[in-house]
Amino acid sequence: MVGAPLVRRTKRRAHRKPRKITSVLEYAQLGWASCLGAHPLSEGGRACSCDRVGCPDPGAHPLSPAWQMEATVDSARLTRWWEHNPDANVILPTGRVFDVFDVPSTAGMAALAAMDATGQATGPVAENGDRALFYVATRGAPEDEDEWWSCHLDCDPATIEASPGLRWHCRDSYVLAPPSTLLSGATASWLRPPDGRPLPDPLRVLDLLVDACE
């Protein structure tokens, strides 16, 4: 009697989301400070892990009002924070090492294609749901303050009001960084991950993004 053929069954490994602390420590090695962010809640009567009733931006803001002072590259402190709060999202302050252009995904993809076609360096680019985030060199605090501004959260700088859908995160602002959990349940991810190379000139990237947003 010939036995039935042996069928080997292999266990499928469940897709595991990257641990947030792993990414946070990688950002610290780049000199990018991080702080704890609120995260979306899938159960209960609230959408956000913060204690604010009717939070206007669930899971997409710092946990502490002192986030600018708390953001750090200290690996021991970061590890301690995320060990106590492993679900916390990752907040990166802007206007220190980098600024971030935040545009609709469709405009971001068009700009990426144009940059690739001309050989222009894109720098790190993240995807947060229906938004694309371009990380660029910061203008920081130039000698002539009239050339720059401090980004008031939830406001568009007056100089780019003609470009609907585009935000420039600079001083006093922040972004939600991969692998943070979005309100939809999806995860913010890198389209072009940071690799330690110099970040691109913001004004060169801005020109392409403005064209793509029109």
Side-chain angles (χ1 to χ4, degrees):
M1 179 177 178
V2 179
L6 178 63
V7 178
R8 294 184 178 181
R9 296 184 179 181
T10 57
K11 293 183 179 180
R12 291 185 177 180
R13 293 183 179 180
H15 177 68
R16 298 181 63 184
K17 294 182 179 180
R19 293 181 67 225
K20 291 169 183 172
I21 184 55
T22 300
S23 296
V24 166
L25 295 178
E26 290 174 352
Y27 298 150
Q29 291 180 345
L30 293 171
W32 296 8
S34 302
C35 65
L36 291 168
H39 62 88
L41 297 177
S42 58
E43 299 178 353
R46 293 182 300 155
C48 184
S49 65
C50 73
D51 57 6
R52 183 176 179 180
V53 177
C55 175
D57 201 14
H61 62 83
L63 271 179
S64 170
W67 60 272
Q68 294 190 69
M69 296 180 60
E70 292 180 356
T72 183
V73 295
D74 185 312
S75 59
R77 186 179 303 175
L78 293 168
T79 299
R80 186 166 61 251
W81 284 350
W82 265 272
E83 282 181 345
H84 285 87
N85 199 345
D87 292 328
N89 275 341
V90 182
I91 297 293
L92 301 181
T94 54
R96 300 183 182 186
V97 178
F98 53 81
D99 291 347
V100 173
F101 292 124
D102 178 349
V103 299
S105 286
T106 51
M109 296 304 102
L112 269 180
M115 296 168 81
D116 288 342
T118 59
Q120 180 175 334
T122 65
V125 182
E127 185 175 39
N128 286 12
D130 61 355
R131 307 290 295 181
L133 279 63
F134 288 71
Y135 287 63
V136 297
T138 184
R139 294 287 299 277
E143 294 180 2
D144 184 356
E145 283 290 327
D146 290 338
E147 292 184 359
W148 217 231
W149 57 82
S150 179
C151 179
H152 299 290
L153 298 177
D154 303 321
C155 296
D156 291 339
T159 50
I160 58 172
E161 283 183 350
S163 302
L166 188 152
R167 282 199 67 197
W168 190 333
H169 298 271
C170 47
R171 285 183 296 167
D172 301 328
S173 189
Y174 58 80
V175 291
L176 188 68
S180 294
T181 305
L182 307 177
L183 186 59
S184 65
T187 301
S189 60
W190 289 109
L191 297 174
R192 306 285 170 89
D195 56 13
R197 287 183 290 183
L199 298 173
D201 181 340
L203 298 183
R204 293 187 64 187
V205 176
L206 178 62
D207 285 341
L208 286 169
L209 291 177
V210 169
D211 288 344
C213 286
E214 290 180 347

